[in-house]
Amino acid sequence: MSVLNFNLGVLGHVDSGKTTLVKALSSVASTACFDKNPQSKERGITLDLGFSSFSVELPEHVKGKSLEPYSKLQFTLVDCPGHASLIKTIIGGAQIIDMMLLVIDITKGMQTQTAECLVIGEITCNQMVVVLNKIDMIPDNKRQPTIEKMTKKIHMTLKNTKFHDCSIVPVSAFPDVSELASNSISNLIEVLKQLVFIPKRDASGNFLFSVDHCFSIKGQGTVMTGTVLQGKISVNDTIEIPTLKLSRKIKSMQMFHEAVVNAFQGDRLGICVTQFDPKLIERGIACTPGALPMAYGVIVNIEKVVYYKQPIKNKAKYHITLGHETVMARVHLFQSAVQNLDFEMEHCYCEEIAEAKGQFFFGVLEFDHPIPVVPKSLVIGSKLDTDIHSNACRIAFKGNIQFIFGEENYRGDLARLKVYKTKMREGIVERMASPFEVIGKNLLKKETNVQPFVNLKVILSTGESGIIEGSFGQSGKVKIRVMGLKEETQTLLAGLNKKRKPQESLDPEEKYVQVKIFLCFKRYIYDPCKKMIQT
């Protein structure tokens, strides 16, 4: 019988007691947990992802809901750092979880990174439990009123989120001998057991493995630890690290110090390979050979994060996170009438996204350097260069990959994308050549090639429509064929045809008789020929 693995992300503001809570819950530690990093010990905070686990009896409501006869339930705890500067690590960790534990210091309440973790949780998972930690720091006579007050406050904060009815559990994670710590931890475990569900797992498709740590073991080889994102893997299979273009055969595998021969989507896993330098990769993706394309850019749908107060600007640079990879990218925005990208449809260029809802927005993301990407995977855009003390949300948007640019020169693929700008040119009628032809000026510059504009439609301010026939002289003037000028228009233009001496000027009242010419057209911004299109 197999073990049901459930990934539990532990997020919260720095120094809210996350790692202490994880220690109190855990029975089995991984090779990377509990702040083993020397810098973590020195500074007293978590600087990297930590992994540990504990197992419980399979809850009754889970039994019988799966075709797989699970023997027990294993909670894998993903301890994410809380410091603002480590937000990339937090985002990477949050994308591999089934449920989130949001840890809040009851003596401080919601803080800046608590709010950012909440935003990440809303993007990456559908279920959350709030842990009110450090209740042991509240005097006995004030503890219960403080818990009730903070619980009410948090429910108010969460009322407009997907977690509005989540469980809030008071906890003392501090390891002491009092009943307060042991009872509160036991209570939290019971709440988690009640809320656990069978995560969607699929063994089909290519193997994808999110690597979060890599180290060597003398006499054994190099171990990559991480989470299986997709598919399955077995001992003796070959895996590829696409960023390095290296493939290695799997020598052995472990799950929390127990040897296994197979692993499936959602499993926490250590993979041992030989002849591989662990310094070559800290975190990233391993996969079935040839499964992951290297992307020089992508097209994504864009949903603005409600808490991000600035507009998303066209041509601005953002930190783009895909799994554990974060790359700088310039975003080029456009708007569509449909939710999914369609190369056959026209899309409207836009300068910015100011509102979070109501329309379908997309972005072409041009990466600073190529990275391996999982098709259709989650994308998170952030402004991580924002001052961490500004008390502002830095996570700007989320989306999913709609198209991958797999070649360094992807202009050919971009040319398929019909993103248009609407252009307007304005000129005036210089004179009437006949009731069916007028001469226009100021519509084009003197140096402009008139030929691309021939046969484009124009509209006069008096209502008539016409077609540009060609140039008139060498000064940028054009001949416009009109279906027939109205009598009133002919009367207006007749005054312009009168010859005046150079010193003569129009009467003040005559300046309003100018007849304007309007030329409106679309231009696809990625069209190498820069054609003008009218509908």
Side-chain angles (χ1 to χ4, degrees):
M1 297 177 81
S2 60
V3 175
L4 173 60
N5 185 65
F6 194 86
N7 295 319
L8 200 60
V10 185
L11 288 82
H13 192 88
V14 64
D15 204 28
S16 58
K18 297 183 299 299
T19 302
T20 306
L21 174 65
V22 168
K23 281 183 182 179
L25 286 168
S26 301
S27 57
V28 181
S30 77
T31 51
C33 65
F34 308 153
D35 299 339
K36 287 190 175 180
N37 185 313
Q39 282 184 292
S40 293
K41 290 180 178 178
E42 184 182 327
R43 295 172 62 183
I45 58 172
T46 302
L47 295 177
D48 208 341
L49 296 175
F51 296 87
S52 55
S53 72
F54 67 95
S55 298
V56 296
E57 289 294 317
L58 199 67
E60 287 297 325
H61 72 275
V62 174
K63 291 178 181 177
K65 286 193 175 180
S66 172
L67 299 174
E68 189 79 27
Y70 293 115
S71 59
K72 61 179 179 178
L73 169 64
Q74 175 180 273
F75 286 101
T76 294
L77 300 164
V78 185
D79 181 12
C80 296
H83 199 274
S85 62
L86 303 169
I87 191 75
K88 288 185 282 190
T89 306
I90 300 169
I91 294 171
Q95 292 185 71
I96 58 174
I97 64 175
D98 300 310
M99 186 191 296
M100 181 168 91
L101 280 185
L102 183 65
V103 183
I104 296 175
D105 182 342
I106 194 169
T107 66
K108 296 177 182 175
M110 291 285 284
Q111 296 169 272
T112 306
Q113 268 64 65
T114 319
E116 281 195 331
C117 290
L118 181 58
V119 172
I120 294 167
E122 279 212 275
I123 293 172
T124 57
C125 69
N126 292 316
Q127 203 157 353
M128 180 178 82
V129 173
V130 173
V131 175
L132 288 181
N133 198 16
K134 302 188 181 182
I135 60 170
D136 52 284
M137 297 183 72
I138 310 294
D140 291 352
N141 60 333
K142 294 181 180 178
R143 185 173 297 138
Q144 193 55 38
T146 303
I147 290 171
E148 290 173 2
K149 183 180 177 181
M150 187 59 74
T151 300
K152 188 175 180 181
K153 206 170 181 179
I154 290 168
H155 274 308
M156 287 294 291
T157 303
L158 299 177
K159 71 176 182 179
N160 292 322
T161 73
K162 66 163 76 169
F163 305 125
H164 55 86
D165 58 352
C166 75
S167 299
I168 299 175
V169 185
V171 162
S172 169
F174 190 74
D176 61 10
V177 294
S178 72
E179 290 187 9
L180 181 63
S182 60
N183 287 345
S184 63
I185 291 296
S186 298
N187 183 41
L188 175 59
I189 291 173
E190 285 304 313
V191 170
L192 293 175
K193 285 170 65 177
Q194 291 168 21
L195 295 175
V196 78
F197 56 92
I198 297 176
K200 186 180 178 182
R201 305 293 193 226
D202 185 4
S204 64
N206 290 316
F207 172 71
L208 297 177
F209 184 63
S210 178
V211 180
D212 45 60
H213 294 96
C214 190
F215 54 92
S216 61
I217 297 178
K218 193 172 182 179
Q220 296 293 319
T222 298
V223 175
M224 289 179 281
T225 63
T227 304
V228 182
L229 300 178
Q230 178 182 297
K232 65 177 181 178
I233 195 71
S234 302
V235 173
N236 295 324
D237 285 352
T238 298
I239 58 170
E240 178 188 27
I241 296 91
T243 50
L244 304 174
K245 295 184 171 62
L246 289 175
S247 294
R248 291 292 184 270
K249 190 175 181 180
I250 297 175
K251 181 182 176 184
S252 61
M253 301 192 302
Q254 284 190 1
M255 290 186 197
F256 290 103
H257 310 301
E258 290 188 14
V260 293
V261 293
N262 298 301
F264 302 89
Q265 183 187 42
D267 285 340
R268 179 77 196 155
L269 187 65
I271 293 176
C272 183
V273 298
T274 56
Q275 298 179 322
F276 180 69
D277 184 354
K279 293 177 183 176
L280 292 175
I281 182 172
E282 182 182 2
R283 53 171 47 95
I285 289 283
C287 62
T288 303
L292 276 193
M294 293 295 288
Y296 292 83
V298 293
I299 302 176
V300 299
N301 63 304
I302 289 181
E303 292 180 48
K304 185 174 181 288
V305 171
V306 179
Y307 308 101
Y308 185 71
K309 298 306 179 186
Q310 302 299 318
I312 298 167
K313 294 278 190 180
N314 188 62
K315 295 185 180 178
K317 278 199 161 186
Y318 292 85
H319 294 84
I320 303 300
T321 304
L322 302 98
H324 287 303
E325 296 278 357
T326 296
V327 62
M328 290 298 292
R330 194 175 299 280
V331 60
H332 300 270
L333 302 171
F334 63 93
Q335 191 176 341
S336 182
V338 294
Q339 193 168 3
N340 295 313
L341 180 67
D342 187 343
F343 278 96
E344 299 303 314
M345 291 187 66
E346 286 189 333
H347 313 284
C348 181
Y349 169 92
C350 64
E351 287 288 351
E352 65 178 33
I353 303 174
E355 295 296 323
K357 294 182 180 178
Q359 296 161 311
F360 301 122
F361 292 102
F362 294 83
V364 175
L365 306 182
E366 295 183 337
F367 296 156
D368 276 5
H369 59 83
I371 59 171
V373 298
V374 180
K376 299 182 181 178
S377 63
L378 175 68
V379 175
I380 297 175
S382 312
K383 271 286 187 185
L384 302 183
D385 46 3
T386 306
D387 181 6
I388 60 174
H389 304 294
S390 65
N391 200 27
C393 178
R394 296 172 294 165
I395 302 163
F397 62 86
K398 67 168 184 173
N400 290 89
I401 294 175
Q402 305 279 315
F403 187 83
I404 297 169
F405 298 113
E407 300 291 333
E408 187 171 2
N409 183 4
Y410 51 85
R411 297 298 161 193
D413 282 330
L414 263 181
R416 294 171 51 205
L417 192 60
K418 299 176 183 176
V419 177
Y420 68 86
K421 278 185 178 181
T422 300
K423 301 278 189 177
M424 173 74 79
R425 292 185 179 231
E426 185 179 313
I428 59 171
V429 175
E430 183 188 61
R431 62 187 176 85
M432 176 178 64
S434 76
F436 299 97
E437 186 178 88
V438 296
I439 306 301
K441 66 178 183 179
N442 301 340
L443 195 63
L444 304 176
K445 293 178 181 178
K446 182 179 179 179
E447 63 273 15
T448 302
N449 179 14
V450 178
Q451 200 55 40
F453 293 87
V454 171
N455 293 325
L456 291 185
K457 299 177 203 170
V458 296
I459 296 175
L460 305 185
S461 57
T462 49
E464 295 92 338
S465 60
I467 292 174
I468 297 174
E469 283 196 324
S471 60
F472 182 81
Q474 301 297 314
S475 58
K477 297 177 185 178
V478 291
K479 290 187 290 184
I480 298 170
R481 170 65 59 183
V482 187
M483 294 299 292
L485 294 170
K486 293 185 254 186
E487 286 187 17
E488 312 91 88
T489 308
Q490 292 184 47
T491 303
L492 283 172
L493 295 176
L496 296 177
N497 286 4
K498 293 177 185 175
K499 288 190 177 179
R500 291 182 174 80
K501 293 178 183 177
Q503 67 269 27
E504 285 186 299
S505 61
L506 290 170
D507 280 347
E509 294 184 9
E510 276 192 284
K511 59 174 110 174
Y512 298 104
V513 303
Q514 286 185 349
V515 176
K516 293 183 178 180
I517 306 165
F518 300 105
L519 170 62
C520 187
F521 58 90
K522 293 177 183 176
R523 181 171 272 162
Y524 294 146
I525 64 174
Y526 299 118
D527 178 10
C529 301
K530 304 294 182 186
K531 291 177 188 172
M532 290 167 284
I533 296 151
Q534 289 181 320
T535 52

